[in-house]
Amino acid sequence: MNMQETSAPSSPLAAPRVLGTPECLWPAAADLGEGTLWSVREQALYWIDILQPRLFRYDTATGAQRTWHFDEEITAIAERASAPGLFLTLRRGFALFDTTAPGDTTKPRYLHQPEPERTGNRFNDGKCDSRGRFWAGSMDFDCKAPTGALYRFDADGRCTRHDDGFEVTNGPTWSGDGRTMYFNNTAINTMYAYDFDMEAGAVSNKRVWHRFPKGDGLPDGMTTDAAGRLWIAHWDGACVTCHDPVSAAELCRIALPASNVTDCAFGGADLQTLYITTARNSRTEAQLKSEPLAGGLFSVRIDSPGVPAALFAG
């Protein structure tokens, strides 16, 4: 795939205002918290611990918490449009899970495993585009080999590999007009932009969009707000930053009391609460003593809204 570096014009978007400081809603001590997903129909927040592995549900009205335990890594989630429950990625591929079943004994049902020959890989982050197609990346379990790929999974069961050669995949998210898709290779501190063809569900014209300055961590999960600004979690950077979608200029920064910040998503009734996940993974015992809330779920209010998460069309 063709790749080119982009220039950085000045930022045309105003900076949002962060209202207060982040609050820890659930000190779950997640090894690798991820997958932040606001359910509009349930008015609840789902998130995951990839490596434990666990799926969490937090009811923001009551504070009620529910946890499901899985037999293998659960790595990304989306709500289904045609049925209750979730579409998700597990270690080896794409699956369905019924969150309405009682108890903790329900098992996910695999739909497709696209790379059985890549035995050192697992899936990682993913999201649906506005047409309900799920985009997800695989990665090297050891975060070193460029064996990860970018896939699109459709509601009719088709699975398409669109790009290849990633060490650690994160994202994606889209520009406000849906014409650009952003996707991260965390291990090499590189955020890419692709031209996105919404009708065809295809990417092209891959280019480097942004890299964090040295010492500012690595790009992890991200989301887009209603103004089109990108919000990006910093692994080993203890923050989430907001960026202009064209120039990548930093517009604001939210500091977190955990070094490994992994993902973020807008939610709440007005979609003006930013939910943020963190991780304990790769921190020493000494470091964790100074970060007792690492692995927790956080929230903070923003003066402008996000957009609802797209549903999987199946």
Side-chain angles (χ1 to χ4, degrees):
M1 178 175 289
N2 177 53
M3 186 175 76
Q4 63 184 39
E5 198 96 16
T6 55
S7 60
S10 60
S11 172
L13 291 182
R17 284 196 306 127
V18 179
L19 309 177
T21 58
E23 171 192 3
C24 186
L25 300 175
W26 190 342
D31 194 7
L32 185 53
E34 272 280 7
T36 327
L37 173 71
W38 175 255
S39 168
V40 173
R41 67 187 174 202
E42 297 180 23
Q43 292 292 291
L45 193 284
Y46 286 94
W47 61 298
I48 58 181
D49 182 351
I50 292 177
L51 298 178
Q52 280 301 324
R54 297 175 287 174
L55 168 67
F56 304 111
R57 183 185 184 275
Y58 180 78
D59 188 313
T60 57
T62 66
Q65 302 172 357
R66 185 176 180 184
T67 303
W68 295 265
H69 296 270
F70 283 64
D71 295 330
E72 64 181 271
E73 295 80 9
I74 171 175
T75 74
I77 53 179
E79 279 194 288
R80 301 179 63 189
S82 62
L86 302 175
F87 177 89
L88 46 84
T89 46
L90 300 173
R91 179 194 303 175
R92 298 183 298 274
F94 306 96
L96 299 176
F97 182 70
D98 184 4
T99 55
T100 65
D104 189 25
T105 59
T106 303
K107 302 297 182 183
R109 176 170 63 89
Y110 261 114
L111 300 175
H112 183 60
Q113 300 177 21
E115 46 181 44
E117 75 287 356
R118 302 188 184 191
T119 56
N121 273 10
R122 68 166 175 83
F123 270 80
N124 199 41
D125 205 357
K127 288 187 180 72
C128 286
D129 65 26
S130 63
R131 299 295 177 86
R133 300 166 294 214
F134 196 88
W135 292 78
S138 62
M139 59 170 276
D140 174 37
F141 221 123
D142 293 329
C143 307
K144 296 178 181 178
T147 55
L150 171 64
Y151 295 90
R152 188 196 79 226
F153 190 86
D154 298 355
D156 62 7
R158 288 179 296 163
C159 182
T160 307
R161 184 182 296 170
H162 284 270
D163 202 358
D164 215 336
F166 302 94
E167 288 84 356
V168 178
T169 55
N170 269 297
T173 195
W174 286 264
S175 59
D177 62 9
R179 297 173 61 182
T180 304
M181 189 178 85
Y182 304 88
F183 193 63
N184 297 340
N185 190 345
T186 302
I188 62 170
N189 186 23
T190 303
M191 290 160 270
Y192 298 107
Y194 301 84
D195 292 344
F196 190 74
D197 184 331
M198 188 64 72
E199 289 298 322
V203 293
S204 61
N205 190 27
K206 181 182 183 180
R207 63 265 189 196
V208 174
W209 177 69
H210 189 49
R211 293 185 174 98
F212 288 148
K214 186 176 181 180
D216 207 18
L218 301 170
D220 207 299
M222 53 188 177
T223 192
T224 306
D225 67 19
R229 298 170 294 217
L230 271 63
W231 298 75
I232 308 169
H234 291 231
W235 178 269
D236 199 29
C239 67
V240 171
T241 50
C242 177
H243 296 259
D244 181 85
V246 177
S247 69
E250 183 177 319
L251 302 176
C252 77
R253 175 174 292 235
I254 302 170
L256 277 299
S259 294
N260 292 338
V261 184
T262 54
D263 197 21
C264 55
F266 282 91
D270 58 4
L271 295 175
Q272 287 183 220
T273 299
L274 188 67
Y275 294 97
I276 304 166
T277 52
T278 62
R280 296 170 62 86
N281 182 257
S282 83
R283 309 305 291 171
T284 67
E285 287 303 316
Q287 289 169 328
L288 289 174
K289 285 183 180 179
S290 66
E291 300 179 13
L293 295 178
L297 171 70
F298 294 82
S299 71
V300 66
R301 294 286 291 169
I302 310 297
D303 74 340
S304 54
V307 293
L311 306 178
F312 178 67

